[in-house]
Amino acid sequence: MSAGDFQADFRRSVAAVVTRFLAQNGLTPIDEAALGPLADELIALGGAVSGEGEIPDDVVKAGVARLLAVLSPPRPELANLAKQLIKGCYQPDYPQCRESYHETDALGRCRRQELANVLTRVSGTHCVDCPYWREWSPEEHTARLAAEWKDGAAAFAAHCEVFLPGDFRVMRRLAQARV
């Protein structure tokens, strides 16, 4: 893939993730003209934040400041989104899935399957660095989550694009192929 093709594809994927995330959280959309520069800054961050293991907090914080600086007017309420974008693009795959998408707490709750909680996550139910994003096809991934869904496959299917967002898969795969 040429650099120009990558940039265009990455811009589209970031725009899709950001637009979905803002809509599902009732936040004001970002002007379409600012989405490209936001994606470009996210690309530029790649060399500064990628590496082995978890991205250090100070590096993420500096990256968040860079991403937010692209937006005018300032949007400090998007700091969590910026953090998730950075980690979603550049955090290396965790060696093995943490299986948190179906873990329950002592009260029997599975936070990663609660719609209100998952709406706040760019990666839906899974961790941003889950290896399943790149190891499994969308069909395999959907079948696995549906089979593990505490309230049944129909409950998963009702909000599948929130629990398993295809736009995030595209963005993650593009970014990780470029690292």
Side-chain angles (χ1 to χ4, degrees):
M1 175 184 296
S2 74
D5 290 342
F6 169 78
Q7 184 171 9
D9 289 348
F10 191 72
R11 278 179 154 217
R12 279 190 294 277
S13 72
V14 170
V17 169
V18 169
T19 300
R20 171 188 49 84
F21 181 85
L22 296 175
Q24 73 190 26
N25 285 284
L27 297 169
T28 304
I30 292 176
D31 183 75
E32 195 169 315
L35 288 170
L38 181 70
D40 293 344
E41 189 61 31
L42 193 54
I43 292 169
L45 279 172
V49 300
S50 59
E52 297 293 318
E54 182 124 3
I55 303 170
D57 288 340
D58 61 326
V59 173
V60 173
K61 187 175 181 179
V64 166
R66 282 180 57 180
L67 287 180
L68 294 179
V70 172
L71 302 175
S72 182
R75 301 277 306 265
E77 75 277 14
L78 301 183
N80 185 43
L81 168 61
K83 177 182 176 178
Q84 291 184 65
L85 289 171
I86 292 166
K87 289 189 170 209
C89 288
Y90 300 114
Q91 186 97 341
D93 285 349
Y94 200 74
Q96 198 171 350
C97 181
R98 296 173 185 94
E99 304 293 327
S100 55
Y101 68 94
H102 62 91
E103 286 181 352
T104 55
D105 63 16
L107 299 174
R109 288 180 47 201
C110 182
R111 300 258 312 134
R112 293 287 181 94
Q113 293 185 16
E114 293 176 358
L115 183 61
N117 178 51
V118 177
L119 286 169
T120 66
R121 302 172 50 79
V122 295
S123 59
T125 296
H126 277 292
C127 299
V128 294
D129 58 357
C130 182
Y132 294 160
W133 288 114
R134 295 195 306 145
E135 290 175 6
W136 290 351
S137 70
E139 298 77 22
E140 291 170 316
H141 213 162
T142 299
R144 178 71 178 265
L145 259 64
E148 298 281 348
W149 215 252
K150 185 177 176 191
D151 293 333
F156 168 75
H159 299 286
C160 183
E161 277 303 310
V162 173
F163 295 129
L164 192 61
D167 54 16
F168 179 82
R169 177 186 309 280
V170 171
M171 183 186 76
R172 173 93 178 143
R173 285 183 167 186
L174 282 167
Q176 287 291 298
R178 192 71 171 197
V179 173

